[in-house]
Amino acid sequence: MDKDVARIVRPENKLKKKIGSDVNLREILQPDVIQNAQQVIMDKKAEFLDWASEDLAIMEEAYYKLKTSGVTPPLLEIISRHAETLRDRSGTFGYHLGSDIAKSLARYCALSAPINQHLAIVIRTHMDGLQTVFKDHVTESGGLIGMELLQGLKKLVEKYPPA
């Protein structure tokens, strides 16, 4: 095979293979089992808001250091890592707008090399959006306001690209 030729490999994504061939899916995918699993997730929603608050506090501390001492890759890494954590958890608990904002922030921080002078503005704007989502309990996509917020963040990132 020519080493310059790309080859597409489709990963095995069959649920049966992932959970084991000895497991009966009909037993797992019962309405009452799914409902109980959903209830467990919803019972954790209050804890999620505490977790989100902790992540935002750590990000705020890193942002403060970034503003006072200058932007450094370790500070960007802290913000990016906690934004990724928020992205991962937010959708599970119905905060899809928070997930989208956190994804944009994490991506921006990860791609910001070399460090540019507008970095702090873009980070602050994303963090303000996240604060609003969780403080005001903006679930799902946030409707029209959520779309406008994401569109504004997109324009900001386009105006001040990370690289």
Side-chain angles (χ1 to χ4, degrees), residues 48-153:
F48 162 71
L49 292 173
D50 290 339
W51 299 331
S53 180
E54 290 170 13
D55 284 318
L56 288 168
I58 292 168
M59 292 165 64
E60 284 291 341
E61 183 179 331
Y63 178 79
Y64 175 77
K65 289 177 183 175
L66 178 145
K67 285 293 286 179
T68 58
S69 305
V71 179
T72 64
L75 292 174
L76 287 177
E77 170 60 29
I78 290 169
I79 293 170
S80 180
R81 188 171 3 120
H82 288 278
E84 278 293 338
T85 300
L86 283 172
R87 182 196 61 82
D88 288 345
R89 292 176 178 170
S90 296
T92 301
F93 296 100
Y95 289 87
H96 301 293
L97 178 59
S99 184
D100 291 340
I101 295 170
K103 179 181 179 180
S104 176
L105 175 57
R107 181 176 294 146
Y108 191 83
C109 289
L111 296 175
S112 290
I115 294 166
N116 67 64
Q117 68 214 31
H118 305 291
L119 190 73
I121 295 167
V122 177
I123 291 172
R124 176 78 266 154
T125 306
H126 279 82
M127 288 175 50
D128 288 345
L130 288 169
Q131 291 281 4
T132 300
V133 165
F134 298 120
K135 183 182 74 158
D136 295 343
H137 305 284
V138 180
T139 56
E140 300 305 323
S141 66
L144 183 59
I145 293 171
M147 283 188 350
E148 290 174 358
L149 176 60
L150 287 175
Q151 194 67 294
L153 289 171

